[in-house]
Amino acid sequence: MAQKVLLAGPASKEVGESIAKKLGLPLLPYEIKVFPDGETRFRFDETVSGKSVFVVQSTYPPPDHNLFQLLLASHHLSQEGAKVHAIIPYLAYARQEKEFMPGEVVSLGVVSHLLRSAGVSRVTTVDIHSADGLSLFAIPIYSVSAIPTLVEYVRKNFKLNRPAVVAPDFGASKRSEAFASLLQAMFVQLSKKRDKVTGQVKVESSKLDVEGRDVLIVDDIISTGGTVRAAAVILREAGASRIIAVCSHPLLVGDAAEKLASAGIKEIIGTNTVPSKVIKVDVTEPIAAHLRTLAD
Ligand code: R5P
């Protein structure tokens, strides 16, 4: 079996080191310099020929920068004869897994192509936006679920009154339904319409039985906060008591956190797939558990 090492990429130092520790793997040392113009130079001293390298690098904002660093490192290591497995806790561009409007670039397809061209032979990510995105990869890809760990956190840290778990749109259904079932809570489906040009979000529901309930809005990503905010507004109107937002990837760009607070969201719970002030859940254990199941 090939010797395994792990590269904790510059965007995922702590997460990478934590996975390495859990798997008992040595870290691959490297030097890195980011020049004033934003370009990155890597330098590797150790020989990796014949080794299996886990390259851990999340592609949160700035996505292109973090993705390109992943490509640079992966390309070098594969050229040196290593087998490269990219661990990408937050996979940028996963929301553009198809052409929503004619002429749109299927960005995730491009990401998949680039990773493969850079010599990546396998990918592991966390809660990919849509399972449809997996089919764009010609190399094996697996999406680890953070849902059980998020549910465990909620169970341990909240005393919930008649909880309801809400999917703010149909894309969130499977994830939120799984969350509701693990938490043994009522499941509520909302419907979201996003203006494809302006990005404006409108969330609707015909009948909402959330009066006096503690509500958890569960989504994969909170970016601008528009989706969760719109859901919170109608849940509040329907008489929900405490509203908590739960997500795997708390991007929280700009004033998203303030926007959610002003909509009456008491707490935001996220994971460490991206750096954030709302990290409550560590995904390194479920990632390590998945990696342990792989033969090499
Ligand atoms: C899209 O369908 C995703 O699941 C999220 O709902 C969306 O990306 C959240 O974005 P924002 O916070 O900007 O509304």
Side-chain angles (χ1 to χ4, degrees):
M1 200 188 273
Q3 192 196 335
K4 289 179 188 159
V5 293
L6 187 145
L7 186 155
S12 297
K13 287 288 267 182
E14 272 181 39
V15 165
E17 284 167 13
S18 166
I19 296 171
K21 201 166 167 202
K22 289 188 164 77
L23 296 176
L25 297 180
L27 288 169
L28 184 69
Y30 61 91
E31 279 172 27
I32 184 166
K33 182 168 170 62
V34 178
F35 292 98
D37 60 6
E39 291 181 1
T40 299
R41 180 187 68 197
F42 277 107
R43 203 176 77 77
F44 295 89
D45 250 347
E46 238 172 60
T47 162
V48 290
S49 177
K51 293 184 184 170
S52 220
V53 187
F54 291 132
V55 180
V56 184
Q57 170 88 342
S58 198
T59 53
Y60 53 78
D64 301 351
H65 178 78
N66 290 333
L67 174 64
F68 200 71
Q69 288 186 336
L70 169 62
L71 295 170
L72 291 175
S74 300
H75 183 263
H76 172 81
L77 298 169
S78 76
Q79 290 284 303
E80 291 295 305
K83 187 170 171 213
V84 177
H85 180 158
I87 318 290
I88 315 174
Y90 171 69
L91 180 60
Y93 293 105
R95 283 173 290 179
Q96 191 77 48
E97 89 285 8
K98 62 181 173 200
E99 202 182 296
F100 294 93
M101 290 207 293
E104 275 180 0
V105 174
V106 181
S107 313
L108 187 60
V110 178
V111 170
S112 140
H113 180 74
L114 289 171
L115 288 168
R116 191 171 176 221
S117 306
V120 171
S121 61
R122 185 184 278 273
V123 174
T124 293
T125 186
V126 176
D127 284 334
I128 191 167
H129 171 65
S130 161
D132 293 348
L134 300 172
S135 63
L136 294 173
F137 286 75
I139 50 176
I141 174 165
Y142 185 81
S143 176
V144 170
S145 174
I147 295 297
T149 328
L150 284 162
V151 171
E152 199 183 309
Y153 174 83
V154 168
R155 219 191 257 297
K156 280 194 184 142
N157 293 281
F158 290 87
K159 202 170 164 354
L160 297 168
N161 175 34
R162 297 166 57 233
V165 173
V166 174
D169 58 27
F170 286 103
S173 310
K174 278 202 183 132
R175 237 180 293 271
S176 314
E177 227 174 334
F179 194 104
S181 135
L182 286 173
L183 193 66
Q184 295 177 310
M186 187 180 90
F187 172 66
V188 176
Q189 177 70 61
L190 301 180
S191 149
K192 171 173 93 178
K193 287 198 182 88
R194 190 189 282 274
D195 185 307
K196 291 198 175 70
V197 178
T198 65
Q200 280 293 317
V201 161
K202 199 168 168 222
V203 171
E204 295 165 342
S205 168
S206 43
K207 189 175 157 284
L208 276 175
D209 172 24
V210 293
E211 175 95 49
R213 287 180 183 270
D214 286 340
V215 167
L216 298 114
I217 305 171
V218 178
D219 209 349
D220 57 336
I221 301 167
I222 302 180
S223 180
T224 64
T227 302
V228 169
R229 186 182 204 284
V233 168
I234 69 162
L235 290 162
R236 175 73 68 222
E237 279 166 10
S241 171
R242 190 161 42 153
I243 306 180
I244 298 162
V246 182
C247 68
S248 306
H249 312 296
L251 296 181
L252 295 172
V253 298
D255 63 350
E258 293 73 32
K259 216 190 261 176
L260 298 188
S262 71
I265 291 175
K266 291 281 172 252
E267 178 134 17
I268 309 169
I269 299 167
T271 83
N272 56 350
T273 60
V274 306
S276 159
K277 285 190 207 133
V278 303
I279 294 171
K280 306 282 165 46
V281 164
D282 177 14
V283 290
T284 63
E285 188 47 57
I287 291 176
H290 165 66
L291 299 179
R292 280 188 205 104
T293 66
L294 303 175
D296 75 53

